[in-house]
Amino acid sequence: MAAAPLAGITVVALEQAVSAPMCTRTLADFGARVIKVENPDGGDFARYYDDVVNGQAAHFVWVNRGKESVTLDLKSEAGRDVLHQLLDRADVLVSNLAPGATARLGLAAEQMAQRHPQVIAVEIDGYGSGGPLSHKRAYDLLVQAESGVCSVTGHPGAPAKPGPPVADVTSGLYAALSIMALLIGRRAQPDSPAPSVGVSLFDTMAELMGYHLTYARHSGIDQQPLGMSSPAVAPYGAYPTADGHTVVLGTTNDREWQRLARELLGRNDLADDPRFAGNADRVANRPILDEAIAAWCARHDLAHIQDTADAAGIGNARYNTPSDVLAHPQLAQRDRWHRIDTPAGPIPSLLPPPVIAGYQPPMGAVPGLGEHTDAVLGELGLSSADIAALRRQGAIGQAEC
């Protein structure tokens, strides 16, 4: 079994909701030790979004496996002192607190450089520093709206938010990527101060909007949302089948279009029609193609459509709901579901996407609030009496296992 790529790396997390927890869960999946610092008064508020997972919130169990929970009241001097003791032994600090919160805690970039120069300090925020919106709170939906993502999702006149929290998730992954890059760089210059990192949800979403922004800049056109289609290529969309399913068919180049027209639809007339010769032509005449493809799909069952498309080398998929994906054979046959422990008992959890030869991700437990407080503080040299005194002061909370 291969060693964990991030074995020996300690991450302290001041995190909530999704973006920073996704970052640190990714680091934990690669073997880092993640110490999640939570407020004794309830902890990460995502713990209470719902109670569908045996009394636990689905968001929380999704992005918090493999971590240790320590409760500290960071409004108290004693709590902040313990935090700095943790940072004295840490490699990375990840935070996504409200604007200005890290500075009030003495953890802004310049403060970290003075007190903990060896720690890579990563702050995930809404809009980045130095702009007119930098002071604003930012949640996934708000940033998707501000960055234009909602305007290219849904249908004309009916914009929509993409279902998954893509601003949170992608920002968390960019933060994790930055940390890994800096950890590699530290090997070459082990004595150099660690740089700070800022990742904003808005910048991340602007990056994901790259195609749409480039198109708008150079064409002067704001492309309209097309539901389950794409403004960039045609034909590409979802079509009802004769047996009550929905198939998604797509082409990405002229050769694929020719195969779809001739081998799937049996429409040589469409293949030879100059109105559909190039992709730009097909985009301009999308409604005609969609009507032809929809009529053909409506006459055939899903299995026939997919078998025919596969034989012709045409990309295709079945439209699935979350319940369908839970039983998806692609996940089952590849053993992608593993069980992890939680305070309310074991639950299924997907393995992380990277499949690394010889490496088995740890798939650690989801922590109870403050579950590891006593053990972690003991590692810092605090005695049982010291810990009890902190608990009496309210600087730490009671452990929930």
Side-chain angles (χ1 to χ4, degrees):
M1 186 67 65
L6 295 183
I9 298 299
T10 297
V11 180
V12 173
L14 303 178
E15 59 182 21
Q16 53 200 4
V18 175
S19 60
M22 174 57 76
C23 169
T24 58
R25 197 209 76 179
T26 300
L27 301 175
D29 287 338
F30 286 110
R33 182 186 188 186
V34 177
I35 300 174
K36 182 181 180 79
V37 175
E38 300 187 71
N39 189 319
D41 185 17
D44 184 341
F45 54 74
R47 286 181 177 272
Y48 313 104
Y49 279 166
D50 55 60
D51 59 0
V52 300
V53 188
N54 301 330
Q56 305 165 107
H59 270 98
F60 189 83
V61 300
W62 166 43
V63 290
N64 283 287
R65 67 169 181 245
K67 303 178 186 180
E68 301 169 47
S69 173
V70 172
T71 53
L72 294 177
D73 179 4
L74 297 181
K75 293 180 180 179
S76 71
E77 184 178 350
R80 292 193 298 274
D81 180 66
V82 173
L83 173 62
H84 284 292
Q85 291 183 58
L86 289 173
L87 290 171
D88 285 337
R89 300 180 174 212
D91 301 281
V92 180
L93 169 66
V94 177
S95 65
N96 68 327
L97 306 179
T102 51
R104 290 192 295 272
L105 292 172
L107 301 174
E110 61 277 9
Q111 296 165 313
M112 288 292 295
Q114 290 294 319
R115 188 160 183 178
H116 303 287
Q118 84 287 356
V119 175
I120 299 169
V122 180
E123 183 166 6
I124 303 173
D125 63 11
Y127 294 101
S129 62
L133 302 185
S134 297
H135 67 287
K136 293 176 70 71
R137 285 181 176 271
Y139 306 129
D140 185 87
L141 170 60
L142 305 180
V143 172
Q144 290 199 41
E146 191 77 42
S147 62
V149 172
C150 294
S151 75
V152 297
T153 309
H155 296 274
K161 170 194 174 298
V166 293
D168 284 335
V169 171
T170 52
S171 296
L173 294 177
Y174 266 113
L177 176 63
S178 301
I179 290 165
M180 293 181 186
L182 292 173
L183 288 172
I184 292 173
R186 189 166 72 179
R187 296 176 183 174
Q189 296 180 308
D191 298 324
S192 297
S196 62
V197 179
V199 177
S200 81
L201 275 65
F202 184 77
D203 289 347
T204 301
M205 285 298 92
E207 170 63 22
L208 264 63
M209 285 287 289
Y211 160 72
H212 296 89
L213 297 178
T214 302
Y215 191 97
R217 178 183 293 277
H218 295 282
S219 71
I221 297 170
D222 287 331
Q223 292 178 317
Q224 295 300 297
L226 293 172
M228 288 187 63
S229 187
S230 167
V233 293
Y236 203 146
Y239 309 95
T241 69
D243 54 346
H245 294 288
T246 298
V247 67
V248 180
L249 296 170
T251 61
T252 59
N253 57 59
D254 295 343
R255 294 184 302 277
E256 289 181 359
W257 155 243
Q258 288 292 318
R259 295 199 301 272
L260 186 148
R262 297 181 192 279
E263 300 178 35
L264 261 71
L265 306 184
R267 295 287 303 272
N268 290 344
D269 60 315
L270 294 179
D272 295 332
D273 193 320
R275 291 178 298 171
F276 314 123
N279 182 64
D281 304 310
R282 294 191 294 275
V283 168
N285 292 285
R286 185 192 307 272
I288 301 173
L289 297 181
D290 280 342
E291 182 179 0
I293 296 170
W296 182 81
C297 289
R299 298 194 300 270
H300 299 284
D301 290 349
L302 175 68
H304 172 78
I305 295 170
Q306 291 198 277
D307 288 345
T308 307
D310 286 342
I314 299 301
N316 63 91
R318 169 186 165 176
Y319 165 80
N320 286 320
T321 66
S323 295
D324 295 327
V325 178
L326 289 176
H328 204 297
Q330 189 70 11
L331 296 174
Q333 292 183 24
R334 295 170 60 241
D335 196 26
R336 296 295 297 164
W337 290 103
H338 280 219
R339 298 188 77 77
I340 62 172
D341 290 327
T342 79
I347 62 169
S349 182
L350 282 170
L351 286 164
V355 179
I356 302 174
Y359 175 64
Q360 184 67 35
M363 302 296 285
V366 176
L369 178 60
E371 178 180 349
H372 304 90
T373 301
D374 290 27
V376 171
L377 269 57
E379 294 177 25
L380 298 179
L382 277 70
S383 67
S384 297
D386 296 329
I387 295 171
L390 288 172
R391 189 160 280 129
R392 286 194 300 271
Q393 298 171 33
I396 62 176
Q398 299 294 327
E400 298 178 9
C401 301

